[in-house]
């Protein structure tokens, strides 16, 4: 549903936007979250008793609780319904309960800090690397297809390079070459260390810098699974 700036929605089993009702889950709190649309994104107050996981598109998911300010084009919150013994989160189960947030907000690094009047020197900002070529972006999106899906997929794993090469009809060396160029851009953008070509750390840097953009907005995702008909 569209949400105007300034409007606040209650999410949960007894909220304005029901969660854990059509697909029943008593592990979802009656007031699992409160969401407010702002000019720069979303304010989300996570109140679900069992917590939640924030999935920013193209970034690593992480546990969240309490007030979150989310400024990202595609953000998903997966509400947890129970915990495993020992406090570990149980991400498995027959159903996942999601809140999907979509806004036309660029996913980019904040502007670099330049030297101020009281500094003894100045910060020289390096020229950003050129955009990815179409073959390089194609290789990235294929290898990390599951991690770039919207709505998110749980669990999500990178594709092996040999499988991706067969899908594209090229050699494994050719796909490695494309990914190496993308990896090099990530290093210039601030990736702290070299990683394997199926390690998504460099993907996250490229997404943050705007080298990959999320899918366009679509109609509402609410649906009734076939097994509930």
């Amino acid at each position: 549903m569209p949400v105007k700036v300034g409007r606040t929605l209650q999410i949960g089993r007894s909220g304005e936007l029901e969660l854990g009702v059509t697909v029943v889950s008593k592990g979802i709190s009656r007031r699992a979250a409160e969401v407010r649309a702002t000019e720069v994104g979303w304010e989300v107050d996570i109140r679900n008793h069992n917590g939640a996981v924030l999935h920013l598109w193209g970034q690593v998911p992480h546990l969240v609780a309490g007030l979150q300010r989310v400024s990202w084009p595609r953000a998903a919150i997966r509400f947890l319904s129970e915990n495993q013994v020992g406090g570990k989160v149980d991400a498995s189960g027959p159903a996942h309960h999601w809140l999907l947030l979509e806004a036309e907000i660029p996913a980019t690094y904040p502007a670099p800090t330049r030297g101020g009047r009281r500094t003894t020197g100045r910060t020289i900002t390096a020229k950003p690397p050129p955009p990815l070529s179409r073959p390089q972006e194609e290789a990235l999106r294929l290898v990390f297809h599951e991690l770039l899906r919207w709505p998110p997929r749980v669990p999500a794993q990178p594709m092996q390079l040999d499988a991706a090469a067969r899908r594209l009809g090229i050699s494994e060396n050719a796909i490695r070459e494309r990914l190496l160029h993308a990896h090099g851009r990530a290093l210039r953008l601030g990736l702290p260390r070299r990683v394997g070509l199926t390690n998504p750390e460099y993907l996250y840097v490229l997404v943050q810098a705007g080298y990959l953009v999320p899918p366009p907005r679509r109609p509402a995702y609410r649906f009734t699974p076939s097994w509930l008909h």
Side-chain angles (χ1 to χ4, degrees):
M1 61 184 298
V3 183
K4 293 183 178 179
V5 170
R7 183 180 178 187
T8 300
L9 284 177
Q10 301 290 337
I11 315 295
R13 288 193 292 118
S14 62
E16 295 172 77
L17 191 60
E18 292 182 341
L19 192 73
V21 176
T22 302
V23 179
V24 178
S25 175
K26 293 184 178 179
I28 303 296
S29 299
R30 293 187 180 277
R31 291 294 176 90
E34 190 175 89
V35 178
R36 180 174 178 267
T38 74
E39 294 282 358
V40 294
W42 309 90
E43 288 184 357
V44 184
D45 189 3
I46 305 295
R47 302 178 179 183
N48 191 47
H49 177 73
N50 290 308
V53 179
L54 177 62
H55 296 250
L56 298 179
W57 182 84
Q59 300 294 288
V60 60
H62 59 278
L63 287 166
V64 289
L67 184 61
Q68 309 291 317
R69 290 181 173 85
V70 180
S71 182
W72 205 252
R74 304 288 178 270
I77 298 171
R78 176 165 52 91
F79 292 90
L80 304 173
S81 58
E82 61 182 345
N83 291 332
Q84 292 177 332
V85 176
K88 294 183 179 180
V89 174
D90 182 7
S92 63
H96 294 149
H97 300 269
W98 295 91
L99 172 65
L100 305 177
L101 304 172
E102 299 185 349
E104 295 309 315
I105 301 169
T108 57
Y109 282 123
T113 302
R114 299 182 179 276
R117 294 178 62 183
R118 296 186 180 181
T119 59
T120 57
R122 61 174 182 164
T123 300
I124 300 175
T125 304
K127 183 179 180 181
L132 297 167
S133 69
R134 183 176 295 181
Q136 291 162 8
E137 181 174 341
E138 182 184 42
L140 270 175
R141 288 188 181 272
L142 178 59
V143 170
F144 296 110
H145 169 71
E146 288 193 0
L147 285 78
L148 294 174
R149 286 186 59 168
W150 184 259
R153 176 172 181 168
V154 178
Q157 297 294 333
M159 183 181 292
Q160 294 300 310
L161 296 187
D162 56 348
R166 288 194 299 271
R167 183 78 61 86
L168 292 175
I170 60 177
S171 69
E172 187 173 337
N173 283 338
I175 200 166
R176 284 182 180 276
E177 187 69 20
R178 296 180 185 185
L179 295 175
L180 280 170
H181 284 292
H183 183 278
R185 284 169 172 74
L187 287 170
R188 291 172 61 185
L189 289 165
L191 180 69
R193 62 189 179 92
R194 294 183 179 276
V195 297
L197 295 179
T198 58
N199 185 324
E201 284 186 39
Y202 73 103
L203 171 74
Y204 302 149
V205 172
L206 291 169
V207 170
Q208 278 191 315
Y211 282 70
L212 290 173
V213 298
R217 287 189 296 175
R218 298 179 183 176
Y221 288 99
R222 174 176 281 192
F223 67 95
T224 303
S226 58
W227 51 272
L228 282 178
H229 285 244

